[in-house]
């Protein structure tokens, strides 16, 4: 598990950085925002202290997984999942607003926990002995760019690969309902439109490979609800 200041927890609807506590931390590349939007007044000192303690407790509740993969609701014991998601809900209820426009969202974040279907499927098992490893999510609100970068390793160490999802990201406007039916009007939600999915084999039996990749372009449906971000 990475240190709190170099990790993002994605829990419940894979929402990036749902609490004010997580937004007070720095991303791993210490990105400097190129633009910023006006935000709500910060939480009081006492509230920040409480949220920081709660965030540390939440991070401590997420077990380290084999190969550095993110934990998921399908790879953990049900009691641990209930505890993690209950703590995430408690952080959400602290009441900070407009986190989706906060400058500290910019940067590269490591995914520690998710119950999103795509991540769950990857973490639950891949064919031919491949397994999901550390997964990172760079976010740049200024350019509207989002990536989901998953390292794919082989259980016997004979190959390395990577899967990358590229999309457009933007803060939602007003009151919105996502694909999971969850309503949000506090400015803490981002919309992501997925543009390209790439799977690339980079090494086999110690030999580096180039150009061994598959690219998929998702079909965009204008009438479809936003994914559960």
């Amino acid at each position: 598990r990475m240190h709190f200041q170099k990790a993002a927890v994605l829990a419940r609807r894979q929402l990036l950085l749902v609490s004010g506590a997580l937004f007070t931390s720095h991303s791993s590349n210490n990105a400097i925002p190129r633009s910023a939007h006006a935000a709500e007044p910060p939480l009081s000192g006492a509230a920040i202290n409480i949220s920081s303690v709660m965030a540390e407790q939440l991070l401590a509740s997420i077990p380290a997984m084999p190969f550095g993969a993110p934990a998921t609701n399908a790879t953990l014991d049900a009691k641990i999942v209930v505890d993690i998601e209950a703590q995430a809900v408690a952080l959400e209820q602290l009441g900070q607003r407009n986190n989706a426009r906060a400058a500290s969202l910019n940067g590269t974040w490591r995914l520690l926990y998710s119950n999103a279907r795509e991540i769950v499927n990857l973490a639950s098992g891949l064919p031919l002995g491949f397994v999901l490893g550390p997964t990172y999510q760079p976010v740049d609100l200024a350019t509207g760019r989002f990536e989901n970068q998953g390292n794919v390793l082989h259980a016997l160490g004979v190959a390395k690969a990577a899967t990358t999802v590229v999309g457009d990201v933007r803060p939602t406007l007003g009151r919105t309902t996502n694909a999971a039916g969850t309503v949000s009007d506090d400015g803490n939600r981002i919309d992501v439109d997925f543009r390209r999915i790439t799977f690339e084999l980079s090494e086999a039996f110690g030999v580096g490979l180039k150009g061994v990749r598959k690219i998929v372009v998702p079909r965009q449906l204008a009438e479809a609800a936003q994914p559960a971000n």
Side-chain angles (χ1 to χ4, degrees), residues 1-227:
R1 180 173 59 85
M2 296 182 70
H3 187 272
F4 171 62
Q5 289 186 328
K6 293 186 179 180
V9 177
L10 281 81
R12 280 190 74 227
R13 307 182 305 279
Q14 204 182 2
L15 181 64
L16 270 169
L17 309 179
V18 293
S19 74
L22 293 181
F23 267 95
T24 63
S25 67
H26 299 288
S27 55
S28 59
N29 66 355
N30 296 315
I32 300 175
R34 282 169 282 182
S35 64
H37 297 271
E40 293 288 317
L43 295 173
S44 67
I48 290 176
N49 288 338
I50 293 172
S51 61
S52 296
V53 170
M54 292 173 65
E56 291 285 1
Q57 291 174 341
L58 172 56
L59 288 170
S61 300
I62 302 173
M65 303 301 293
F67 302 99
T72 74
N73 57 312
T75 55
L76 295 178
D77 181 83
K79 291 182 179 179
I80 297 177
V81 170
V82 169
D83 179 53
I84 289 172
E85 299 199 6
Q87 291 186 64
V89 171
L91 278 170
E92 289 179 339
Q93 294 174 342
L94 291 179
Q96 188 169 359
R97 302 175 63 87
N98 292 325
N99 283 335
R101 296 183 182 275
S104 53
L105 178 58
N106 291 296
T108 299
W109 300 90
R110 183 172 178 181
L111 178 60
L112 298 184
Y113 173 87
S114 177
N115 60 12
R117 181 183 62 185
E118 298 81 3
I119 298 295
V120 169
N121 288 342
L122 290 173
S124 297
L126 296 169
L128 304 176
F130 285 98
V131 294
L132 182 64
T135 301
Y136 299 90
Q137 296 188 319
V139 178
D140 189 335
L141 291 179
T143 62
R145 185 177 178 84
F146 166 88
E147 291 187 22
N148 193 82
Q149 303 172 346
N151 291 288
V152 178
L153 310 174
H154 195 275
L156 299 179
V158 299
K160 293 181 181 179
T163 177
T164 302
V165 179
V166 177
D168 300 328
V169 62
R170 62 189 179 279
T172 57
L173 298 175
R175 184 179 178 87
T176 61
T177 302
N178 65 11
T182 305
V183 177
S184 176
D185 60 1
D186 56 9
N188 290 338
R189 173 176 291 165
I190 58 173
D191 283 343
V192 179
D193 295 322
F194 298 109
R195 302 301 184 190
R196 185 175 71 254
I197 302 171
T198 302
F199 180 84
E200 182 172 7
L201 184 64
S202 59
E203 181 181 308
F205 300 102
V207 178
L209 303 175
K210 292 184 178 180
V212 183
R213 67 172 62 91
K214 181 177 182 180
I215 300 175
V216 177
V217 178
R219 183 182 179 187
Q220 304 291 329
L221 300 176
E223 68 276 12
Q226 274 291 320

